[in-house]
Amino acid sequence: MKVTPLDAPLGARITGLDFRDTPDEALAAEIRTVIHEHQVAIFPNQTFNAKQQLAFTLALGPVRKRKLPDDYVVPASSSDTPGIAYVSNIRDANGEPTGVIPDGEMWFHHDTCYTDAPDKFTMLCALAIPKTGGNTMWCNMYQAWETMSEDLKQTIRGKKALSVYDYATIEKPDLDNLENIEKAWQPCVVTHPQTGREALFVNRLMTCQLEGLTIAESAAILDPIFDHAEQRQFVYEHEWTIGDFIIWDNLAVTHARTHFELGDDRRLRRSKVSGDSLVA
Ligand SMILES: [Fe+2]
């Protein structure tokens, strides 16, 4: 296994591994260490199938089950396991997407931060890539926190924030209808259980309110924090190649997606390692 750090605020490219073979515990431990060290681990030229990806995911930790909107119909051909989902804009014969979050831009977010135990790792394998756009961006939330002014840090240090998700991709959830959507209070700054480092844990897509403040008061504090965190100096943007398999540390980074055109096929196979409740 050869690890080459990217010339970027995060990330490393790792070669010499073929995930058609499930890693043993020693190798899985090495891979977890690399992810924790670089936040995003890029394994190019992987040719494994869904079953092998699921076995790989399980080697890294407990597999998170796929979560879908209530009205979403899982296409019969897409998967035979709730541990694998497809992020896909490809339509079936009825014009329905053959995967989750199919289209276009998506704001920065932490996966499943609206649940009590957000995902530990998310991983995607690129199966079809649009001619332009559909890049994934990751933001280094250690650096985002460390570089915040002391005044700005003080506004959220020790506080909790409400994260909500209702399947919009570039707008806040409908906050008048909170009873019917999943939500959770999370520490604004978390201590990473493996690295011991502090990371900012709020994001533009899902974080809506600070404890003790109205939504408007919260936005006045949070919007400048999102603007700070999403500066290019903390962000790595990845242009996908088919066969890229990328794993990220969901407690240490947020991720987002750039625009791409409807009809420009994009399909990624996703799996996740579930996490634990967070430590402030
Ligand atoms: Fe996501």
Side-chain angles (χ1 to χ4, degrees):
M1 156 159 136
K2 180 165 180 269
V3 179
T4 310
L6 302 182
D7 182 17
L10 53 76
R13 194 175 164 89
I14 297 110
T15 52
L17 297 176
D18 182 343
F19 295 141
R20 286 176 295 183
D21 302 320
T22 306
D24 61 15
E25 179 45 37
L27 180 56
E30 273 187 71
I31 293 168
R32 283 190 290 264
T33 300
V34 167
I35 302 166
H36 289 139
E37 195 170 325
H38 298 280
Q39 295 86 50
V40 176
I42 301 168
F43 302 89
N45 302 315
Q46 296 296 327
T47 58
F48 56 179
N49 60 30
K51 208 172 157 191
Q52 290 161 336
Q53 181 170 336
L54 190 67
F56 171 89
T57 310
L58 192 57
L60 253 57
V63 174
R64 177 88 173 207
K65 290 212 171 66
R66 178 178 61 214
K67 178 183 169 305
L68 299 171
D70 289 341
D71 61 355
Y72 184 80
V73 179
V74 180
S77 61
S78 78
S79 173
D80 55 0
T81 160
I84 294 283
Y86 290 84
V87 176
S88 177
N89 68 345
I90 299 173
R91 265 57 178 178
D92 65 15
N94 299 319
E96 297 296 325
T98 56
V100 297
I101 40 173
D103 300 321
E105 183 188 357
M106 193 166 191
W107 283 356
F108 278 99
H109 63 282
H110 300 87
D111 279 346
T112 64
C113 61
Y114 49 87
T115 67
D116 289 336
D119 300 328
K120 184 191 290 269
F121 301 134
T122 301
M123 51 201 94
L124 293 172
C125 185
L127 306 176
I129 290 307
K131 286 184 282 299
T132 53
N135 297 342
T136 299
M137 299 185 285
W138 291 271
C139 177
N140 185 327
M141 297 299 267
Y142 293 132
Q143 289 180 5
W145 171 248
E146 286 159 8
T147 54
M148 268 166 61
S149 71
E150 204 46 49
D151 286 352
L152 208 51
K153 279 184 175 175
Q154 221 42 350
T155 61
I156 57 166
R157 199 195 290 276
K159 286 216 168 66
K160 287 196 165 189
L162 184 67
S163 278
V164 178
Y165 187 38
D166 68 358
Y167 292 92
T169 56
I170 50 170
E171 62 184 41
K172 289 282 187 192
D174 176 7
L175 297 173
D176 295 328
N177 191 25
L178 277 180
E179 293 95 84
N180 300 321
I181 43 183
E182 273 195 276
K183 55 195 175 297
W185 289 92
Q186 303 289 3
C188 291
V189 185
V190 296
T191 301
H192 194 290
Q194 275 74 41
T195 66
R197 296 177 70 185
E198 286 187 316
L200 186 60
F201 200 78
V202 293
N203 67 76
R204 192 182 297 276
L205 184 63
M206 299 175 183
T207 309
C208 299
Q209 191 172 10
L210 293 168
E211 59 180 340
L213 299 180
T214 66
I215 286 167
E217 289 166 344
S218 303
I221 292 172
L222 289 170
D223 287 349
I225 293 176
F226 302 145
D227 291 343
H228 168 81
E230 294 172 9
Q231 292 176 86
R232 294 308 295 197
Q233 62 191 343
F234 309 128
V235 171
Y236 167 63
E237 179 171 341
H238 186 75
E239 218 171 295
W240 290 88
T241 299
I242 289 173
D244 283 348
F245 178 55
I246 302 188
I247 311 173
W248 65 90
D249 182 341
N250 190 50
L251 299 191
V253 298
T254 51
H255 58 286
R257 186 168 79 188
T258 65
H259 176 76
F260 56 103
E261 296 296 333
L262 199 65
D264 201 358
D265 288 355
R266 185 178 190 274
R267 187 172 176 83
L268 305 162
R269 192 172 54 223
R270 187 185 74 189
S271 54
K272 295 168 163 188
V273 170
S274 58
D276 306 304
S277 56
L278 304 179
V279 178

